[in-house]
Amino acid sequence: MEEGKSTVRAVERALDILLCFTERSEWAMTEIAEKVGLHKSTVHRMLATLEDKGFVARHQSTERYRLGLRVWELSAHLSSNDDPAVRLLPELERLRDLVGETVSLYIRDGNQRIRIQAVQSNQAVRRVANVGVRLPLYVGASSKVLVAFADEETQRLVMEDPSWPPSIDRTQYAEQLEQIRRLGYATSIEERESGAAAVAAPILNRAGKLSAALSVSGPSGRLTPESMREHAPAIIEAAKRMGMMLVK
């Protein structure tokens, strides 16, 4: 029994190491050890095993680690039926071509949102959205959509999270959520990033449950309150089409 527990713990530690790469593309071994809270010798052994299996690769000159080709081999076998990031990509591109701005897909993970897919605007000045980025749930159009259309228990957990910044009034935030539910979409202007704006709508699956947030983002000089109101019907309609493509 103890041996089984030890084996499971080793797997958990290896996965914790791999999950570091969701935050940035390269890590030093000592940085990983500090991040996951393990002794450097333990991390060194695990990285050696992961490297041997092709899940991480080590740059010979800098001694920094990055994801290996084996990870990309695994991702290549994701089924489009199971992965909304793959299945909805054509619709994201269609919306991008319609509105001319960067389009992203977000899901909630605890008190954060994760960008799981994005198609960049073709305009010279554009909002660049990197896939895999984690962002806080309390600011931004997509964040507010992911909270506004979540179930009541999820909303309660988010609003009562100890990490909630004191600078954001919970009562005003709750009032924003109510307005978002009435309108069917959310907007944000320079809430998280100077010079950037976004408008987002919920993607509800065929069972009516929230699956993701669909976001259009760009420079605030182009995405003004007026232009976001003009884009909102197309974004809502695109989100409805995407929702019909999802079972869960």
Side-chain angles (χ1 to χ4, degrees):
M1 186 68 175
E2 290 300 320
E3 181 180 353
K5 288 183 179 179
S6 176
T7 302
V8 170
R9 182 60 183 143
V11 173
E12 289 177 345
R13 289 173 170 177
L15 291 173
D16 285 342
I17 290 173
L18 287 175
L19 287 172
C20 288
F21 294 93
T22 63
E23 297 185 14
R24 66 174 192 257
S25 59
E26 288 192 353
W27 292 78
M29 186 269 290
T30 54
E31 293 173 333
I32 294 175
E34 182 178 352
K35 175 70 177 176
V36 300
L38 295 174
H39 195 276
K40 287 187 288 186
S41 61
T42 301
V43 173
H44 183 269
R45 290 195 303 271
M46 291 192 166
L47 283 170
T49 300
L50 290 169
E51 183 180 9
D52 183 60
K53 295 293 184 180
F55 286 96
V56 299
R58 178 165 49 96
H59 196 287
Q60 297 299 321
S61 62
T62 63
E63 291 295 312
R64 295 179 70 83
Y65 291 84
R66 63 181 186 277
L67 289 177
L69 294 177
R70 187 69 67 182
V71 173
W72 307 119
E73 289 178 22
L74 286 175
S75 66
H77 293 284
L78 279 171
S79 169
S80 61
N81 293 325
D82 299 327
D83 184 6
V86 176
R87 190 169 193 181
L88 300 180
L89 182 56
E91 287 293 332
L92 295 176
E93 292 173 339
R94 176 178 174 180
L95 181 60
R96 184 271 313 276
D97 294 342
L98 179 64
V99 301
E101 301 290 355
T102 295
V103 179
S104 302
L105 200 63
Y106 291 93
I107 60 172
R108 184 184 67 85
D109 183 24
N111 62 353
Q112 295 180 314
R113 57 177 161 126
I114 307 173
R115 187 183 294 123
I116 62 170
Q117 187 60 279
V119 290
Q120 312 298 337
S121 168
N122 293 323
Q123 302 201 51
V125 178
R126 64 191 178 202
R127 176 80 167 79
V128 176
N130 298 315
V131 174
V133 169
R134 287 176 174 266
L135 300 168
L137 263 188
Y138 44 83
V139 290
S142 296
S143 291
K144 289 181 283 190
V145 160
L146 289 172
V147 180
F149 292 91
D151 58 79
E152 291 184 2
E153 177 63 13
T154 296
Q155 292 181 35
R156 184 187 67 79
L157 290 173
V158 170
M159 299 282 283
E160 295 178 0
D161 192 287
S163 65
W164 186 276
S167 60
I168 298 180
D169 183 86
R170 285 182 168 87
T171 300
Q172 292 181 359
Y173 185 86
E175 291 173 355
Q176 286 185 53
L177 299 185
E178 181 59 35
Q179 182 182 27
I180 289 165
R181 283 189 288 270
R182 288 198 305 268
L183 293 174
Y185 69 94
T187 63
S188 64
I189 300 177
E190 299 186 343
E191 287 188 7
R192 190 184 59 82
E193 182 180 343
S194 177
V199 54
I203 297 178
L204 307 177
N205 64 21
R206 281 181 279 174
K209 297 294 182 67
L210 179 67
S211 293
L214 175 64
S215 168
V216 169
S217 60
S220 55
R222 283 201 309 263
L223 276 182
T224 62
E226 294 76 17
S227 66
M228 287 193 283
R229 281 195 294 270
E230 291 174 1
H231 289 320
I235 297 168
I236 293 171
E237 183 60 33
K240 288 180 180 178
R241 286 198 306 271
M242 294 180 192
M244 293 303 294
M245 299 169 64
L246 301 176
V247 177
K248 59 181 180 179

